[in-house]
Structures are given as structure tokens and as C-alpha cells.
Amino acid sequence: GISFYTFKLISYLLDIYRGKMEPTKEWVNYFVYISFFPQIAAGPIERASNLLPQLKNTRKFDKVQATEGLKLILWGLFKKVVVADTCALYVGDIFNNSTNYPASTLLLGAFYFAFQVYADFSGYSDIAMGIGKLLGFELMVNFNHPFLSKNITDFWRRWHISLSSWFNDYVFTPAYTALRNWGNAGMFICIFITFFLSGLWHGASWHYVLFGSIHGMAIIYETFTKKKRKKVEAKIGKRLHENLSIGLTFVFIIITFILFRANTIPHAFQYITSLFNVSIFEMPGKLAYIPLVILMMGWEWIQRKQKYTLYFPKLPMPLRWSLYLVLTFLILYYYGAEQQFYYFQF
């Protein structure tokens, strides 16, 4: 978790330097903030301004808060064990043997990988928030239905929110403040640097750098075409424009995530170019886990306006407990060989 220690320390020091908060004089609270165990391996990157005041408060057991925590942990385990780990089996086989599969199966592999990463990482975040609630802490939400994003800018407001907000506050904003007199060129440079560094943070490898750079270029494009896209929306209608935007954004995410998963840039290019083949119209293999992905995403979509995914107080108790038992059974059924959380490597 060295990178997450680093992020927390930098934000703590800079917030004090900027006068946004006073340094704590309580060493125990300081070290608990830096090394708070539910978050340290893969985030979310909690700010001192949120966690330190909670450490100073006297905490008492709260049944409602603890119940919410257990539900978050249950849903997080479902996403990790049932969806992410099962998808990972197919993803590993398809990416490692990409030359042996038709384009339709390669596309399905990219689809599985996007949901593997989402279920794995958001599942970890749910578990971290749940453990926090059991201990009397309210931690920040790290994901907000990212696959419903209308564009790439919106995606990065919804995906790994703690990392995106960190780079915005401590890289992009001070850089743009320094270059604000450069006009659009300054904006271009600051966005590109921010996403270049974000890609580099994931690993000292060119495919991560390229992944971040492409997303940076996409946001630059969106920044400077906002008025034109508004005109298109006015012509075709808001509903159609929104649905098309979500669909195109999702396709962009799936394709660029291939760069994230591939071992090298040549491997990524070979994988992507293989998608443009007549075999894209063949029936893909490895469809078995599609229902699990649909189950997870469908339920999250239904519950998207609730406090959390398993929040349904109006549902009769027997039905609620039946659902909890079904989720527990699925977790035990699909539990197999240990799969490390994907973001533990970053």
C-alpha cells in the first residue's frame, strides 16, 4: 500500500500548507489516519479533513450503522467472489491466448475484463466502507455507477473517485493555476500531464502510460467540443443523445481497458486489431458468466438512487433475509482458489 500511504501524506501536508486544516497534535490519531487498515491496500484515499475529526470523536456502537456496514460487506464480497473472480478465469485465458480465439470471443473477453475490474475494485471499496461503519467511521464513496457515464469526463467523476479527486486537487488545479495565462494551451497541458501521471501511477510500463494519455486526450477533446456537442444534443433530442453518449462511452472504456490488461503495447494492438475481423459475427464462446454480470449491474441500476445497493427498508423482512441468504450461498458456491484484489498490484 505504499502509494496509498504516499497519497494520504501528500494531501495531509498540502492541506495544512494551504491553510485548509490544522495539523493534529495527537500522534495516535495521526498514525491511525495514515495506516487505517480497511483502506491502506487499495483505497479509497481518504482525506485527513474527513477521517481525523472522526478519530477525535467518541464512538459508540450504532446498530443501524453496523447493519449498513454488514450489508456493504456482503455486497462487496458478492461482487468480488462471484463476479470478479469468475470473470477473471475467462479473462486470463482469453488474453493469454488471444491469437486462438475469434473476434467475438475477444470482444467478450474485453467486456468481461471491464466488469472484472469494476466488480473487484468497487467490491473492495464496499468492504472497506462496511468495515469502517462497523468501527464507527463514515468513509467516502469511491464508485458511482461509472458505466452509466455520458462521456469520459463524467466517467472519471464516477470511477475511483478518491484518486480522480486527488489528482484534480493536487496536480491539475495547482498546475492550471500556474498556467492559467496560457489559455487553452495551458488547459491542454495540465489535463494531459494529470492523466499521464495517473497512467504512470498504475505501473512503470508504457501500456499504462498510453492508457492514461488516451483518456487525457479524450477529456481534452470533450473540453474543447462542449458547444458542438450541445448543438448535436439539441438536434437529435436529449434522450437519444444521452443513450448514444452512454453507449459510445462504454465502447471507448472497453477498448481502452484492453491497454490496461494487456502485457505490452504490441499485445494490446494485436488484440484490438483482431477485433476488426469478420469473425466478430461468430457466436462467441465463454458466455456462461454473462448472467452474473447482468445480475450485478441490473441490481445496482435498480438501486442506483438508494443509500446503498442492499438498502430496501420497505421490503418485508422474510424477503430481505432470503436475499441475504441467496447472496451468501452464491459467495460460498463460487469461492475457489484465492484471487488477489486486482488493485493490490498498484
Side-chain angles (χ1 to χ4, degrees):
I2 186 64
S3 60
F4 291 94
Y5 282 111
T6 305
F7 279 137
K8 282 188 170 185
L9 285 164
I10 290 174
S11 66
Y12 177 76
L13 291 171
L14 287 178
D15 284 352
I16 292 171
Y17 175 76
R18 295 172 178 175
K20 292 184 176 180
M21 60 174 290
E22 292 293 325
T24 180
K25 297 180 180 179
E26 299 174 7
W27 283 91
V28 172
N29 288 350
Y30 170 75
F31 283 115
V32 170
Y33 160 67
I34 295 299
S35 60
F36 191 54
F37 77 91
Q39 301 173 306
I40 202 58
I45 306 164
E46 201 68 57
R47 302 295 175 86
S49 57
N50 178 45
L51 194 56
L52 276 176
Q54 295 185 65
L55 287 167
K56 295 176 182 178
N57 295 335
T58 300
R59 290 173 303 282
K60 296 181 181 179
F61 180 77
D62 185 322
K63 181 181 177 181
V64 174
Q65 189 182 37
T67 301
E68 291 179 355
L70 289 171
K71 291 178 182 179
L72 282 167
I73 292 171
L74 179 62
W75 185 246
L77 285 171
F78 170 78
K79 289 199 285 188
K80 165 60 179 169
V81 175
V82 179
V83 180
D85 288 357
T86 49
C87 285
L89 298 174
Y90 279 177
V91 169
D93 179 52
I94 293 171
F95 271 82
N96 293 335
N97 302 283
S98 57
T99 56
N100 300 328
Y101 287 110
S104 56
T105 302
L106 296 180
L107 183 62
L108 185 63
F111 175 86
Y112 275 143
F113 176 66
F115 286 100
Q116 175 202 341
V117 175
Y118 170 71
D120 188 286
F121 195 16
S122 67
Y124 179 93
S125 297
D126 287 343
I127 293 169
M129 287 190 295
I131 294 173
K133 282 181 177 289
L134 287 176
L135 299 174
F137 297 98
E138 293 293 336
L139 306 181
M140 72 176 296
V141 175
N142 209 22
F143 288 85
N144 181 22
H145 309 291
F147 294 137
L148 295 178
S149 303
K150 300 173 186 177
N151 49 57
I152 303 303
T153 305
D154 188 32
F155 175 77
W156 285 106
R157 293 192 186 110
R158 295 166 174 261
W159 177 280
H160 202 351
I161 298 169
S162 63
L163 179 70
S164 299
S165 62
W166 192 97
F167 270 100
N168 180 70
D169 292 347
Y170 303 110
V171 179
F172 173 78
T173 299
Y176 185 60
T177 300
L179 300 180
R180 61 185 180 276
N181 294 330
W182 291 27
N184 288 342
M187 175 76 78
F188 179 99
I189 292 169
C190 294
I191 292 174
F192 186 81
I193 288 174
T194 300
F195 279 87
F196 179 89
L197 293 175
S198 176
L200 189 62
W201 170 77
H202 288 89
S205 179
W206 285 112
H207 63 105
Y208 290 128
V209 172
L210 184 58
F211 169 81
S213 300
I214 289 175
H215 276 256
M217 293 299 292
I219 291 180
I220 291 168
Y221 168 80
E222 291 175 356
T223 300
F224 296 118
T225 60
K226 190 176 294 184
K227 292 182 179 179
K228 291 182 179 180
R229 289 184 288 115
K230 282 287 184 183
K231 291 179 180 179
V232 173
E233 180 181 342
K235 286 183 179 180
I236 67 174
K238 184 175 181 180
R239 179 64 63 86
L240 178 59
H241 183 267
E242 182 176 298
N243 291 334
L244 286 173
S245 297
I246 291 173
L248 290 172
T249 301
F250 184 64
V251 170
F252 180 87
I253 291 166
I254 285 181
I255 298 300
T256 54
F257 266 32
I258 294 171
L259 279 167
F260 198 81
R261 175 58 178 80
N263 300 320
T264 61
I265 290 179
H267 179 210
F269 284 169
Q270 176 270 317
Y271 195 106
I272 293 171
T273 54
S274 297
L275 294 174
F276 299 94
N277 189 296
V278 293
S279 61
I280 194 73
F281 300 107
E282 295 181 11
M283 178 62 70
K286 304 184 181 297
L287 291 167
Y289 295 146
I290 289 291
L292 294 174
V293 173
I294 294 174
L295 175 64
M296 176 189 71
M297 296 307 298
W299 190 256
E300 288 203 340
W301 185 83
I302 291 170
Q303 293 290 102
R304 66 192 184 281
K305 295 182 180 180
Q306 302 297 336
K307 289 173 62 178
Y308 49 89
T309 305
L310 295 183
Y311 181 77
F312 25 71
K314 295 182 180 180
L315 201 65
M317 183 179 289
L319 290 178
R320 294 203 306 270
W321 277 95
S322 296
L323 178 59
Y324 304 149
L325 290 173
V326 168
L327 290 175
T328 303
F329 171 78
L330 288 172
I331 291 167
L332 294 174
Y333 178 80
Y334 279 96
Y335 179 78
E338 180 181 351
Q339 292 278 351
Q340 178 177 277
F341 281 96
Y342 197 79
Y343 261 67
F344 277 12
Q345 63 186 298
F346 301 130

